Amino acid sequence: MSETTHPSDPRAEPDHWSQRLANVAMATCLAVMALAVFVNVVLRYGFGMGLAASEELSRLLFVWMVFIGASAAYPRGEHMAFTSLLDRLGQRALKVVTVLIRLLVLLACALIGWGAWQQVVVGLGSHSVVLGYSTALLPLPALLCALAIGTMALVELIRNQPFDRHSGLEAE
């Protein structure tokens, strides 16, 4: 599988600091989740006791890992895209569709961000049962992801950046 990126977006480069930070954050979340679940399984089956915090911690870290990954995938063009129609369009029609796609991405980010913000506000007043963290931490990554992807889409729209319909990822 070849790895190509949007040539005009330096954030898409694998060695850009934002991509490295996202990769480290996702790897850390995954490592802590795996360790927590492994320790819980060993304690439960080996000693008849378990860690109540393991499930809560794993759920929180999984949510964060997913949204960090979604944010990191956007500038690299790694989100699912149906490009068979785009390959048949002329240049003028492709530009119009590209603007439409970016506007739809902005709309989706606004809706996700608004819903996540409402959940953050609701979560500020409550805490998780076992670990006691604010439950606002669960929807917060959705809000941050919507802001990040929305900002990137807006910058692409303003720069009139062409839609990368051949990200180099193989399809099956």
Side-chain angles (χ1 to χ4, degrees):
M1 180 168 19
S2 64
E3 200 173 327
T4 58
T5 58
H6 296 281
S8 61
D9 191 352
R11 293 170 309 201
E13 294 299 322
D15 60 347
H16 189 266
W17 69 268
S18 63
Q19 288 291 326
R20 286 194 314 266
L21 180 64
N23 289 340
V24 167
M26 288 186 296
T28 302
C29 287
L30 185 60
V32 172
M33 282 175 16
L35 181 65
V37 170
F38 176 75
V39 168
N40 197 34
V41 167
V42 168
L43 286 175
R44 186 159 296 174
Y45 290 105
F47 302 100
M49 56 185 252
L51 296 174
S54 174
E55 189 176 322
E56 228 175 59
L57 178 64
S58 296
R59 181 177 49 245
L60 178 66
L61 291 175
F62 183 74
V63 169
W64 276 87
M65 184 178 66
V66 166
F67 283 106
I68 291 169
S71 298
Y74 184 82
R76 295 177 60 119
E78 293 178 349
H79 282 276
M80 185 183 296
F82 301 101
T83 59
S84 57
L85 175 64
L86 297 179
D87 292 337
R88 298 177 185 181
L89 297 177
Q91 288 292 42
R92 183 172 171 87
L94 182 61
K95 287 182 181 185
V96 171
V97 170
T98 298
V99 169
L100 180 63
I101 289 169
R102 298 259 162 71
L103 290 173
L104 289 172
V105 168
L106 286 170
L107 175 64
C109 287
L111 293 173
I112 291 169
W114 175 250
W117 173 250
Q118 290 176 329
Q119 291 300 309
V120 166
V121 170
V122 167
L124 288 173
S126 60
H127 294 82
S128 72
V129 176
V130 178
L131 291 175
Y133 61 82
S134 172
T135 55
L137 288 176
L138 277 169
L140 182 62
L143 174 64
L144 298 176
C145 178
L147 289 172
I149 292 177
T151 301
M152 288 184 271
L154 183 61
V155 167
E156 291 171 347
L157 186 63
I158 291 169
R159 289 182 180 169
N160 201 21
Q161 189 171 331
F163 186 73
D164 182 18
R165 59 184 188 245
H166 302 290
S167 66
L169 299 176
E170 297 174 12
E172 294 183 22

